[in-house]
Amino acid sequence: MATHMKALVDKVTIEPSLLTPLPESVAVALKRQATALQERLPLLDAELGLVYPPIDVLPVLMETPGNVGAIHARMSLKSFAGITRIAVEMFAPSLIALADNQDLLDGTLAHEFLHYVWSTLRIAQWRALGHPDVLDLSASPDYEALDENYKSLDHAAQVPVEGWLTPRLQCLMMRAEDETSDESRSLQESIVDGWVLRDLPSRPLSLRCKFNGKLAIDAGIVKRAQELGLVLTAGAIPHR
């Protein structure tokens, strides 16, 4: 029996499957993992000393150019009650496949957190300089082509790990970023078996996202940056 997903409340939301309803077994697994992620976030908040952004779970596989592997998560914008915030999108095939590897899940979340901090500080810098809120989460054509420079392009939109991630999260992020490791390959194989071969929803990856308007940003991120000595009106935001 196919099942339409319903949203969870609070920090983790499962978006409805607009392409086609998910099989009931997949929908149950997805809800179970989203609930576990919801329960995990307070522990991650405590470790970071900051609040992790909202997470939208999309019941779809993002098809990458050249089929280099599944994208597990990315930055997004989330609007609710007239307020737009920077958020994280996580894709259902990855969340389900990560059920047995909490370390890689934490590493993936840590990777996206560095993007979240960088984007937050970018908006704060624009405000400090007297500019309107503009956030362009689009990537360059080089990134969409996933050429040999994509990692450096990705890191250019992340803050350095120092002052933002604990040593544990730094290590787990490095594991999650190592696409050649046995555990990363096993994760990709699990996604293929559990999602691709079952012909579940997929769509081409889009890295185009630009916002002009008013964004709510986390003052705790700005405060931490100031404690680390960052002057928002002087120079570019540091990156990895």
Side-chain angles (χ1 to χ4, degrees), residues 19 36 57 89 91 100 115 128 140 145 148 164 169 173 178 202 216 221 228 238:
L19 299 177
V57 181
E89 281 182 346
F91 302 111
D100 297 324
H115 281 301
S140 69
E148 66 273 11
W164 298 104
L169 288 174
M173 183 182 70
D178 183 1
S202 64
I221 298 292
L228 293 172

Side-chain angles (χ1 to χ4, degrees), residues 75-115:
M75 297 305 303
S76 70
L77 298 172
K78 181 179 180 68
S79 296
F80 180 75
I83 300 174
T84 300
R85 292 182 171 87
I86 305 169
V88 170
E89 281 182 346
M90 190 156 197
F91 302 111
S94 299
L95 183 58
I96 294 172
L98 285 164
D100 297 324
N101 197 327
Q102 184 65 58
D103 283 353
L104 281 193
L105 176 57
D106 281 359
T108 299
L109 294 174
H111 177 95
E112 296 306 322
F113 185 73
L114 296 184
H115 281 301

Side-chain angles (χ1 to χ4, degrees), residues 17 19-23 59-62 93 195 198-203:
S17 181
L19 299 177
T20 184
L22 297 179
V60 66
L61 174 76
M62 285 294 177
W195 199 275
R198 298 179 68 177
D199 199 27
L200 295 178
S202 64
R203 68 176 187 231

Side-chain angles (χ1 to χ4, degrees), residues 194-224:
W195 199 275
V196 178
L197 296 182
R198 298 179 68 177
D199 199 27
L200 295 178
S202 64
R203 68 176 187 231
L205 174 66
S206 172
L207 294 172
R208 302 297 181 190
C209 183
K210 189 172 183 178
F211 176 82
N212 292 280
K214 194 68 174 178
L215 281 168
I217 61 173
D218 185 350
I221 298 292
V222 178
K223 181 180 178 182
R224 172 75 63 86

